[in-house]
Amino acid sequence: MANNDFLSVMVRDVELVYPKLDQPYKFNTAAKRSEPADARAQGASYSCSWLMSADAAGTLHTQLKAHFEACRPNETFGKVFGFKKIDDNAFQFSAKRNSVNGKGDLAQKPTVIDGQKQPMTDLNIWSGSRGNLRVTAYPVTAPDGTQGVSLLLDVTQITKVVTGGAGGLDDFDEIAPKSDPALDDFSTVKVENPFASVAAAPAANDLGDEIPF
């Protein structure tokens, strides 16, 4: 990929969902939940999701789609990987970073800082926390041929910490909600300025990770 394929995007003041930042996790298909995993286990990764209103999600989705089309003008945009509709006014985006890079070496952990931009040591962070994220967006092609944009987790700033979870509901993070199947369709969302609320700047290609679909 060329360096201009990588776009650094700021997401500000959002509710975090299923933050898995303390160590790598992987999904246990039998237990239907994510569990702590060795960093070298296949599929192990750090990850964090966040919620946005329809308007804010439409703004971000429009920006990511435009980035894909600028990078691959002759290809057809399919989706933003890790994006889904929760209800009519709540949409979820997800970003992750594999714990092992494409060369088989341990990858750099995502950075987690507090409101004073200091590194956090206690990463027992649960859904309901709030914060800002910097993610890297880049065009990818999934194994099934679907083309779109993937989001790589870079920096998470925690501005409000929730610990202990809401009755352990984070155990159910991988169960997809029942919703409109047209999860990626923002054609009806009106956005006056697609870039008004999302700051972005080109990022260097220093990822070294497998594509985190």
Side-chain angles (χ1 to χ4, degrees), residues 110-123:
T111 300
V112 185
I113 58 177
D114 62 20
Q116 286 70 49
K117 302 181 182 180
Q118 298 301 307
M120 292 186 64
T121 55
D122 183 359
L123 299 181

Side-chain angles (χ1 to χ4, degrees), residues 15-20 49 124-130 160-166 169-171 173:
E15 180 179 343
L16 306 182
V17 185
Y18 319 125
K20 294 177 173 61
S49 301
N124 180 30
I125 302 163
W126 287 65
S127 296
S129 299
R130 296 192 69 86
K160 175 187 175 183
V161 179
V162 173
T163 59
L169 296 184
D170 276 18
D171 292 348
D173 58 334

